[in-house]
Amino acid sequence: MNRVPPQNTLPNNNAHFDRQPMYTQRRTPPVYQKNNQAPNNMPPAPNFKRVNPQNGMRNRRPQKSNKNKPWLKVLVAFLLVAIVVALIVYGLQQIKRNRVLEEIAPYENVYGPEIYINDISISGLTPDQALSNVYAKMQERVESWKLNIIYNGWEFYKLDYRALGIDFSHNMLYPYLNEAWMLTHTGDEFMRKEALLARAGNPYKIYTTKQEFNVNNLDIILQQIANSINKAPMDAALIQFRPDEPNPFLIRDEQVGIQLDTEKTKQEILELAAAGTSGNYEISPIITQPKITRADVEKTVTLRAEASTAISKYSVENRNNNIRLSLAKINGTYLEPGESFSFNKVVGPRTLKAGFFEADEMVKGDLVTGVGGGVCQSSSTLYQAVLAAALSVTDRDIHSAPVGYTEKGLDATVYLSRDRNIDFKFKNTSPGRIYITAHVVPGSSSKSLISRIRIYGESLGDGVVYKLKSVIDEELSEEEIKYIPDKKGEFVTYKDETKLKRKAEKGYVVSSYLRKYQNGNLIEENLVSVDTYRPRPAEYWIGTQNR
């Protein structure tokens, strides 16, 4: 029979299980009374009479002989053995049962071991003691429990039991006390022993406050907190390309996503409330990392290459301004993957109306005054930057003679007029967008100037840089002398008179190479171009008149 106290009542301390008594009652042998009379519950004693032996012999009937029935003796012996065995088995069972009853006797009227209500041990207590102990402790907790809900140093709410609508009474505790009682007071003595053994090292804990909280209030509090801290993850992004700034890229940092798991937070707070653990509760929202970080963006705008050419100290201001203007038109350009760049299209016509100045420029090997002189230094600087950035050059021509601001084989001439278009073009063959900054900047001395172009984009690789190398394969010479008639007679008058106009100039065959270095070590070298600067003969003025 189950020893389970009814709902809303405590277990009866004097209750007992429907079982045999621990020790069997020994029967008292009948006591016979005087006058040969038995007690009331015993049959009357027999009345023995004396018999005459002779009469007895006469009245005795002849007995049948059992000598012919040996099986009867065997049957009797078997029955006696069976009875003895049954008595032994029964006795052993009673001994085992009595031993189990002795073992569980200490917990007959008290709660079993390792049983807790709201982390308060009721093991070894009677139901009345357990009720009194748990109720008193929970009343103390109602008065003492405080929990500060905090996130990033900010206190959002100060929580107590009353804010959660917690109220303790005896009636509230009865179901939990009854449940705890049933753990070790259900079934026969053997089942109860197994239940007691199962508690060893396996504490049973039940909590009342999870069911008694006014969770609606807590839900409202947590939702208000979630509205304050929740935010979606945001990827880092390039906000602005500022080509005139030392750091030309304005990058927005990434933002992690924050999401408060209100259900999980609620359960954790309820458990702390149930255990009466006061103090600070630090909210731990779910953090979602963005897909793109600042480091990822920075990898797309690394400095791929820089090229610089020195502006001669003899360069006039008009020429310097032409270089500045052409670079300003290039400055801030960006190209998507696969997009091409045309120098003449970006810089436009070199005219006075466009803001260019007159200055010396090389035309077919001769220095002449023209609008936009000096622009070729910008195109040559850009050419070198494009090669060092590992981009693809699609259109380029050299000057008719070497120029003084760069090495042979590393120049790129441009010219734009109605009837003539010499352009410099390249294509963005990198996997990402490229960005170009172009400026005239001070050189090593206060009076020196440099034309500088930088190209940014996807990284070339860890420790990878490209450098250009120019090699003169062959020098060319011209033995022929060229005579130019001086029709105005500015230098010579007669046909037998000559005057040197220009010395002979050597020509060159030049090979240009692009070298790839990684961490300072040369790992690759590729031929870029083989350029030929034709030699120029000596030129003399010759008169046009006879003597």
Side-chain angles (χ1 to χ4, degrees), residues 486-493 544-545:
D486 185 3
K487 294 181 181 181
K488 294 182 179 182
E490 294 180 2
F491 304 101
V492 291
T493 302
T544 59
Q545 297 182 20

Side-chain angles (χ1 to χ4, degrees), residues 405-419:
Y405 49 77
T406 188
E407 295 181 65
K408 300 173 181 66
L410 300 182
D411 59 313
T413 187
V414 289
Y415 190 84
L416 181 61
S417 65
R418 291 182 179 179
D419 57 351

Side-chain angles (χ1 to χ4, degrees), residues 65-305:
S65 175
N66 292 329
K67 294 181 181 180
N68 297 327
K69 298 181 180 180
W71 58 271
L72 185 59
K73 295 181 180 181
V74 174
L75 178 61
V76 172
F78 176 76
L79 292 175
L80 291 175
V81 170
I83 292 171
V84 171
V85 171
L87 291 174
I88 292 173
V89 171
Y90 177 76
L92 291 175
Q93 289 179 343
Q94 286 299 105
I95 292 172
K96 181 178 180 181
R97 184 170 178 270
N98 291 338
R99 185 178 300 164
V100 170
L101 289 172
E102 289 178 1
E103 292 176 355
I104 67 174
Y107 293 97
E108 179 69 19
N109 298 314
V110 297
Y111 286 92
E114 297 287 337
I115 297 177
Y116 302 84
I117 295 180
N118 294 341
D119 290 326
I120 301 170
S121 175
I122 61 173
S123 300
L125 301 179
T126 65
D128 287 337
Q129 291 171 337
L131 174 63
S132 177
N133 194 21
V134 173
Y135 181 77
K137 293 288 181 65
M138 294 314 297
Q139 285 297 333
E140 291 178 5
R141 292 181 180 178
V142 168
E143 300 298 330
S144 62
W145 184 75
K146 304 289 182 184
L147 191 68
N148 300 320
I149 302 178
I150 296 174
Y151 179 67
N152 280 349
W154 179 264
E155 182 179 306
F156 278 93
Y157 203 88
K158 182 170 288 187
L159 202 63
D160 58 21
Y161 282 133
R162 290 182 176 84
L164 298 179
I166 295 177
D167 182 25
F168 286 100
S169 68
H170 288 173
N171 289 336
M172 291 180 178
L173 295 177
Y174 286 144
Y176 302 97
L177 291 168
N178 289 338
E179 181 181 342
W181 182 265
M182 291 173 61
L183 289 174
T184 57
H185 293 80
T186 302
D188 58 19
E189 58 271 13
F190 296 101
M191 295 175 63
R192 296 199 302 276
K193 178 182 177 181
E194 289 297 326
L196 290 169
L197 293 176
R199 297 272 63 79
N202 183 28
Y204 178 80
K205 296 184 178 183
I206 50 177
Y207 298 92
T208 61
T209 50
K210 289 184 179 179
Q211 298 179 2
E212 296 170 8
F213 276 138
N214 184 346
V215 294
N216 292 332
N217 289 343
L218 185 55
D219 287 338
I220 292 173
I221 293 171
L222 294 179
Q223 188 57 52
Q224 291 174 346
I225 296 174
N227 293 339
S228 299
I229 68 173
N230 285 359
K231 57 184 179 181
M234 182 181 295
D235 292 338
L238 178 63
I239 300 300
Q240 187 179 8
F241 174 39
R242 306 173 299 180
D244 296 323
E245 296 292 328
N247 181 1
F249 300 102
L250 180 61
I251 299 174
R252 180 191 67 201
D253 287 331
E254 70 273 15
Q255 175 181 286
V256 298
I258 298 176
Q259 185 73 30
L260 178 62
D261 187 340
T262 55
E263 187 62 31
K264 178 174 177 284
T265 302
K266 178 172 69 175
Q267 294 304 320
E268 291 177 351
I269 291 175
L270 292 177
E271 290 178 6
L272 291 174
T277 303
S278 298
N280 296 331
Y281 174 78
E282 183 73 26
I283 292 176
S284 300
I286 299 171
I287 303 298
T288 304
Q289 295 297 330
K291 296 179 180 179
I292 302 174
T293 65
R294 183 183 185 90
D296 295 330
V297 176
E298 288 176 344
K299 290 179 181 178
T300 67
V301 291
T302 60
L303 179 60
R304 290 174 67 95

Side-chain angles (χ1 to χ4, degrees), residues 12 19 66 86 180 184 195 220 328 345 357 386 420 480 532 540:
N12 187 352
R19 53 180 173 77
N66 292 329
T184 57
I220 292 173
K345 184 176 180 180
F357 298 89
V386 167
R420 192 179 183 194
E480 180 185 354
T532 301
Y540 287 86

